[in-house]
Amino acid sequence: MGGYNSIRSDRVISEGIEVGINISSGGGIDSGDVCFSDASFMDPRLITIAGPLKGNIFSLSDEGATIGREAANRICLSDMAVSRRHCVIELREDAFQVRDLDSFNGTFVNGVPVKDRRLDHGDRIVIGDSQFLFFLHGEDGISSFNTVQLEEERAPAHETVRLRQEDNLFRQPEKVLAALPQSVRLARDLNALLKISASVGSIRTLEALARELFDLISAVVPAETGAILLSDEHGVSEEFPTVFGWDRAEGADRPVRASRTIVGRVLSEGISILSNDAQGGEAFSEAESLAAFRISSVLAVPLAARERTLGVLYLSTSDPLSAFDEGHLQLAAAIAGIAAVAIENVRHVEWLEGENRRLVDEINISHNMVGESPRLREVYAFISKVAPTDSTVLIRGESGTGKELAARAIHNNSLRAGKPFVAINCAALTETLLESELFGHERGAFTGAVAQKKGKLEIADGGTVFLDELGEMTPLLQAKLLRVLQEREFERVGGTRPIRTNIRLIAATNRDLEAMIRQGEFRQDLYYRLNVISLQLPPLRERREDIPLLASYFAARAAERCHRTVRGLTREARACLLDYDWPGNIRELENAVEHAVVLGGEWIRPEDLPEVVLDSARDEVSSDDGGGSTKYHEAVKEMKKRLIREAISQAAGNLTESARLLGVHPNYLHRLIRNLNLRDELKK
């Protein structure tokens, strides 16, 4: 069995490709030499992985594509959860963007609703019940090896055989059968092809496939060294992102040489080449390394599958008595045809597995910040600047604005991302408990301390500590926290030994710390230690354009959690959400949407929202016209009451039948009765 390895970039030579051989004890490919490289090309497309068009692939031209329920859209989705004109994917400023067209149900990219978002390779787009993967370029994420620098040279001038694929004997079964009784060698070669065809189909990695191919080739072709060079998706490349090298002499530490000119011609012309003039040819006269290894015979065949050349199978020998002949060329070309299909399949499987891992690792929607308003974009820009540093950050903003989400975003984009993120709510614990949580305690430090306990500052060593509601911390704990920031050390409760810690501190508060300092409630020296970098999160009322995105996001989460089917929000419901000031900010919006999901039907309507939201919308309308619309709303209210009374009377008190007569869902009728204060009246 021969030895295998990847290309070593420090062994590149001027006259050709050098495949370094560094044999491990088992003779296998040394995975320690593996690196990763993208073989990319522009081929923007959408692949449908779920929904009514599952399995369809849509190529994206410069005009892009509109998506919606109408037949006029380029991608028409027969799905009531999709708006007539739902979204558009278009090319702008050399990048593809997805733009939501005020759809009811929203457009989601990687689990987050978007209004206008740049698309990156591999993004997952969800529209109603349909899911698409956006691919900007070809297969990436494939296991590959160091690339190769190639230099020009002239082709061998003598004793060269060129074989076109259509002239391959093994592609013409009738000729093979006619020659079979006369040739023992042909029978042996056919047996080798059968073995290769049977063995490569179940292999799942490129490394294992290359190893198996070289093992089988070595039994029928007298090659001393070989290489499999896989090009990029175009088939012609200045470098080969994926290369495997092989040497028959196990344990030999020598390079495998490959002619750039021969390889280039095989790729560009799609022909197989046999040369028994590797040393004597004019093209190799100045190749000192080839002369040193006395390469006398070279064989190169294209790895072609589905009318596309994937790369080259390259074999060589330095033994003049074992020179390749045309039979070896025919056989190698046939082997390459089988191997090419297997390589393409393995590449696709590896890419799919890598894409699946990437999506699983990437999508962590519980910590994503949702919104595309200018105010929130400023927050994103701020986070991108401060995250790579170790500076202390003070996040300020009203309750419910997402201060912990911002803190997590800073941590996840920092060099400490792989270390713990520990969050502590200073307002949720008493002074004694908070001190124990922060610093830990020794056994017997107080009643109930039956064992030693590490504090959050110790647990988070190397990571980030987030102190929420910092303004609720007592003066005693403020002094101890100041020491941690100054000295980077602390003592457990009841302990005497100082403990060093390496943490980044992020604090948050909704209180006016400056006013607290003036009133003597907060230490000024601690404030200066904390206020190194300050981030002000805007309240929801100052970024109303994000409300529809947030509502769609929360509706999708609540529907999944409550096992309900929610198609989206009606325009009227959106208007109510936009009219409300949201004193509880994002947290209040999330609760309101979950309330609507639990009590509503497939579409969230204004009546499904909490009364406080509806009352605010009515008050807004009344105040805008000086109260002139009050009579109108009262008249509508009285009309609803009359219709409900008549339906209930006609149905003899059966609310389900009453709802059917009115053409509404029974749950909706119950809410109307409650909202219109009809319950007591109907009991009489």
Side-chain angles (χ1 to χ4, degrees), residues 11-252:
R11 291 187 176 180
V12 175
I13 58 174
S14 61
E15 62 271 23
I17 307 167
E18 177 178 306
V19 183
I21 303 299
N22 182 14
I23 307 303
S24 62
S25 59
I29 295 175
D30 184 0
S31 61
D33 292 327
V34 175
C35 67
F36 293 89
S37 172
D38 286 339
S40 307
F41 72 102
M42 292 297 291
D43 183 20
R45 60 201 187 279
L46 288 178
I47 297 182
T48 317
I49 60 174
L53 299 180
K54 181 179 179 180
N56 284 271
I57 300 176
F58 300 94
S59 180
L60 298 174
S61 61
D62 293 347
E63 291 78 18
T66 56
I67 305 175
R69 206 169 70 245
E70 284 183 348
N73 293 288
R74 185 183 168 196
I75 301 177
C76 179
L77 301 175
S78 180
D79 181 356
M80 290 306 296
V82 177
S83 299
R84 290 183 175 84
R85 283 177 50 81
H86 198 100
C87 67
V88 60
I89 296 176
E90 55 194 353
L91 183 63
R92 282 187 275 133
E93 298 178 356
D94 298 326
F96 278 91
Q97 310 262 354
V98 59
R99 178 164 53 90
D100 187 81
L101 301 176
D102 293 327
S103 64
F104 286 142
N105 208 16
T107 302
F108 291 74
V109 175
N110 298 332
V112 177
V114 299
K115 185 67 177 175
D116 196 339
R117 173 76 64 86
R118 175 194 174 105
L119 290 174
D120 294 321
H121 178 71
D123 278 347
R124 181 172 60 95
I125 305 169
V126 176
I127 300 168
D129 293 330
S130 297
Q131 294 188 36
F132 302 87
L133 287 179
F134 173 75
F135 293 155
L136 186 59
H137 44 74
E139 299 175 5
D140 61 358
I142 302 170
S143 176
S144 57
F145 299 83
N146 290 4
T147 56
V148 181
Q149 299 294 329
L150 301 174
E151 305 243 349
E152 295 296 338
E153 61 197 27
R154 291 189 295 277
H158 306 287
E159 300 183 40
T160 299
V161 178
R162 295 177 174 84
L163 176 67
R164 296 177 301 172
Q165 293 187 45
E166 57 268 25
D167 295 331
N168 188 348
L169 181 64
F170 292 95
R171 290 177 178 265
Q172 304 175 54
E174 67 283 356
K175 292 185 179 181
V176 173
L177 292 173
L180 185 57
Q182 307 170 17
S183 174
V184 175
R185 175 176 170 180
L186 189 58
R188 182 202 65 183
D189 292 348
L190 283 172
N191 184 53
L193 288 177
L194 288 173
K195 285 184 178 180
I196 292 174
S197 180
S199 62
V200 300
S202 60
I203 297 176
R204 300 292 298 272
T205 66
L206 285 176
E207 290 88 345
L209 179 59
R211 183 186 302 114
E212 183 70 13
L213 285 173
F214 282 129
D215 286 346
L216 294 169
I217 288 171
S218 66
V220 290
V221 179
E224 292 182 343
T225 59
I228 293 176
L229 305 99
L230 300 180
S231 62
D232 64 14
E233 194 72 16
H234 287 301
V236 179
S237 175
E238 293 298 321
E239 297 181 344
F240 291 90
T242 309
V243 178
F244 301 92
W246 166 81
D247 194 306
R248 182 185 293 272
E250 184 173 354

Side-chain angles (χ1 to χ4, degrees), residues 376-414:
L376 204 58
R377 288 185 186 276
E378 292 175 3
V379 173
Y380 296 152
F382 177 92
I383 290 173
S384 68
K385 290 181 179 179
V386 305
T389 72
D390 265 346
S391 300
T392 302
V393 180
L394 178 62
I395 303 176
R396 313 181 77 157
E398 297 177 7
S399 179
T401 51
K403 295 186 287 294
E404 183 171 344
L405 287 178
R408 287 187 182 273
I410 292 172
H411 171 75
N412 291 336
N413 289 279
S414 71

Side-chain angles (χ1 to χ4, degrees), residues 185-368:
R185 175 176 170 180
L186 189 58
R188 182 202 65 183
D189 292 348
L190 283 172
N191 184 53
L193 288 177
L194 288 173
K195 285 184 178 180
I196 292 174
S197 180
S199 62
V200 300
S202 60
I203 297 176
R204 300 292 298 272
T205 66
L206 285 176
E207 290 88 345
L209 179 59
R211 183 186 302 114
E212 183 70 13
L213 285 173
F214 282 129
D215 286 346
L216 294 169
I217 288 171
S218 66
V220 290
V221 179
E224 292 182 343
T225 59
I228 293 176
L229 305 99
L230 300 180
S231 62
D232 64 14
E233 194 72 16
H234 287 301
V236 179
S237 175
E238 293 298 321
E239 297 181 344
F240 291 90
T242 309
V243 178
F244 301 92
W246 166 81
D247 194 306
R248 182 185 293 272
E250 184 173 354
D253 187 11
R254 64 175 184 173
V256 174
R257 310 285 172 163
S259 164
R260 173 193 177 89
T261 302
I262 292 177
V263 170
R265 184 164 297 175
V266 170
L267 278 178
S268 61
E269 300 180 19
I271 61 172
S272 300
I273 294 178
L274 164 64
S275 173
N276 287 316
D277 190 28
Q279 290 188 61
E282 188 178 342
F284 296 97
S285 59
E286 299 178 0
E288 297 179 3
S289 56
L290 288 177
F293 287 97
R294 306 187 64 82
I295 302 299
S296 61
S297 190
V298 170
L299 190 156
V301 296
L303 294 162
R306 300 182 180 90
E307 300 182 354
R308 187 165 61 89
T309 302
L310 306 179
V312 176
L313 171 62
Y314 191 97
L315 303 172
S316 64
T317 181
S318 60
D319 185 359
L321 299 178
S322 301
F324 303 138
D325 58 27
E326 191 170 348
H328 295 131
L329 182 65
Q330 294 274 358
L331 179 60
I335 292 173
I338 297 172
V341 175
I343 288 171
E344 190 171 52
N345 291 339
V346 169
R347 272 183 157 183
H348 189 60
V349 168
E350 286 190 341
W351 178 85
L352 287 175
E353 291 174 347
E355 186 68 13
N356 182 61
R357 287 192 298 269
R358 187 191 71 81
L359 289 174
V360 169
D361 292 340
E362 177 183 285
I363 300 171
N364 185 11
I365 60 176
S366 62
H367 300 317
N368 277 345

